[in-house]
Amino acid sequence: QLQLVESGGGLVQPGGSLRLSCAASGFTLNYYAIGWFRQAPGKEREGVSCISSSGGSTNYADSVKGRFTISRDTGKNTLYLQMNSLKPEDTAVYYCATRRTDYLSSAYSLSSSWYHYWGQGTQVTVSS
């Protein structure tokens, strides 16, 4: 059974860092693209970053470029989102999502409608 479990959220001061994890089970990353999304209260879900099943293609929302880094460990079947220089506007519930692609494909998307499976989310709060 395909499952995604996010962890690593919490309360951090502005300018601080957090690393989110997305543990994948029931599938191998070499066949699935992964996206990170976030949703703040009263706002629509926003694509933050994504990585292809090849691991060689990544993309970021303009709002996080230069501050966030997506990575993966295929041995642990886990995705990461390193978030630095956090701002209060980064406060949201963060989700990872996945969609099956061709083996080691370069396909990815920052659109939530492209993804088929979602995790439960982890809360990130940036506040002093």
Side-chain angles (χ1 to χ4, degrees), residues 21-37:
S21 298
C22 172
S25 60
F27 67 99
T28 58
L29 297 178
N30 290 337
Y31 282 94
Y32 285 79
I34 302 287
W36 280 100
F37 294 81

Side-chain angles (χ1 to χ4, degrees), residues 13-63:
Q13 292 188 342
S17 298
L18 280 175
R19 189 178 78 157
L20 304 183
S21 298
C22 172
S25 60
F27 67 99
T28 58
L29 297 178
N30 290 337
Y31 282 94
Y32 285 79
I34 302 287
W36 280 100
F37 294 81
R38 65 186 181 186
Q39 188 164 21
K43 294 189 176 181
E44 291 190 356
R45 191 166 294 187
E46 173 191 19
V48 174
S49 184
C50 55
I51 187 167
S52 63
S53 59
S54 71
S57 299
T58 59
N59 197 14
Y60 298 89
D62 288 343
S63 58

Side-chain angles (χ1 to χ4, degrees), residues 48-118:
V48 174
S49 184
C50 55
I51 187 167
S52 63
S53 59
S54 71
S57 299
T58 59
N59 197 14
Y60 298 89
D62 288 343
S63 58
V64 306
K65 277 181 182 175
R67 300 189 298 123
F68 290 11
T69 303
I70 192 171
S71 63
R72 68 180 196 172
D73 185 333
T74 54
K76 295 182 179 179
N77 226 36
T78 299
L79 278 296
Y80 303 99
L81 186 68
Q82 178 67 44
M83 305 187 296
N84 299 328
S85 302
L86 283 162
K87 306 175 181 180
E89 52 263 43
D90 294 319
T91 295
V93 177
Y94 283 71
Y95 302 88
C96 59
T98 191
R99 171 183 172 137
R100 185 178 171 105
T101 65
D102 291 336
Y103 180 64
L104 299 180
S105 168
S106 60
Y108 58 66
S109 177
L110 283 177
S111 172
S112 60
S113 62
W114 192 73
Y115 293 87
H116 295 157
Y117 304 96
W118 292 81

